[in-house]
Every structure is written in C-alpha cells, then in structure tokens.
Amino acid sequence: MLRSLEAQRDLVLDALRVYLGTGLFFRGLALLFTEKGLQQLLGTAEPSLGLAGLSVYVATAHLVGGALLAVGLYTRLAALVQLPVLGGAVSLVHWQDGLLSANQSLEFSALVLFLLLLVCTFGSGRWSLDAKWRRPPVPVASGSHR
C-alpha cells in the first residue's frame, strides 16, 4: 500500500492542496457571515479601524487565496498570502490557550500553517491549473506536408 501511495505522490499533494484551499475558503465565508466574525477570534468587542483592516485582509486572503489554492492557480502566491494570517493566528490569537486545550485551536492553526509551508515549497502539483498552463506548447510542424 505504501508503494502505491508513493507512486501517487502527485495525487496526494494535489488532494492536500484542494482540501486546504477549500477549508480556507469556507473559513473566509464563516468570518464574513458570522455575526462577530474576526472579533470573536481576537477576543475583542471594541471595533476599530485596525481591526476592520485586519478582518478585510484575513477574509480576502482566506476567500481568494483558498479558492486559488483549491484550483491550483497562482498556488505558491496564494499560500504565501495565507502565511501571515496563520502565523498571527498561532502566535497572537491561540498561543495563550496553549497546547491540548479543549478547542485545539493552536494545534489546528499550526497544522494549517505547516501545510501552507509545504504548498509554498512544493507548488501546485500535476493536476492544477498552474501545471496545465506551464506545459510546453505542442510543436508546430514546419512546412506543409501534402
């Protein structure tokens, strides 16, 4: 079974990319359409200009970046845009909860951060729009053959 998975490495990496992108996209939707959105994550009820700007960045990064990851378009850039969001989630938002808390937010955010680093490193995979568009064009035969 392990040899079979090893032979399907591209499929596994693409499945991971699609799953990660879809999850981030839906997380962006949840941030936009829940009543408190990002304020609930940050633990503050005081709306401010900085919080509004941060929530726009986070929601946009998750929505657009997640969609791009899911289809494999500008994959490394889409993952790179997510890194500050997840880095902030790990270090600023969930760090005080510590490991093995009841909601496991630190562990999950750290996992997503790690997976995004893998996507940044290894790219989009064989079954992505990036791979489809970077394939060399079919050579055109010179001269006419009648």
Side-chain angles (χ1 to χ4, degrees), residues 123-135:
S124 57
R126 184 183 296 176
W127 293 285
S128 65
L129 290 177
D130 286 340
K132 181 177 180 168
W133 290 349
R134 87 175 153 243
R135 287 188 184 141

Side-chain angles (χ1 to χ4, degrees), residues 45-66:
E46 274 300 311
S48 68
L49 186 59
L51 182 61
L54 182 62
S55 69
V56 167
Y57 175 73
V58 170
T60 303
H62 282 346
L63 284 171
V64 176

Side-chain angles (χ1 to χ4, degrees), residues 14-79:
D14 277 319
L16 174 69
R17 175 189 46 80
V18 170
Y19 182 77
L20 185 60
T22 303
L24 288 168
F25 177 80
F26 282 108
R27 182 67 178 153
L29 286 177
L31 288 174
L32 282 179
F33 294 116
T34 57
E35 191 169 308
K36 297 198 185 230
L38 191 63
Q39 289 177 0
Q40 186 178 26
L41 285 178
L42 293 176
T44 179
E46 274 300 311
S48 68
L49 186 59
L51 182 61
L54 182 62
S55 69
V56 167
Y57 175 73
V58 170
T60 303
H62 282 346
L63 284 171
V64 176
L68 290 173
L69 278 172
V71 297
L73 184 62
Y74 302 109
T75 305
R76 285 190 167 110
L77 178 63

Side-chain angles (χ1 to χ4, degrees), residues 2-20:
L2 290 176
R3 286 188 182 128
S4 175
L5 284 176
E6 183 66 30
Q8 299 297 322
R9 181 183 301 230
D10 287 328
L11 179 62
V12 172
L13 291 173
D14 277 319
L16 174 69
R17 175 189 46 80
V18 170
Y19 182 77
L20 185 60

Side-chain angles (χ1 to χ4, degrees), residues 19-20 23-24 27 62 86 89-90 94 98-101 103-116:
Y19 182 77
L20 185 60
L24 288 168
R27 182 67 178 153
H62 282 346
L86 271 297
V90 168
H94 302 300
L99 290 174
L100 306 173
S101 67
N103 60 8
Q104 296 181 333
S105 295
L106 177 61
E107 294 90 338
F108 185 70
S109 294
L111 173 64
V112 173
L113 178 62
F114 175 73
L115 294 175
L116 285 169

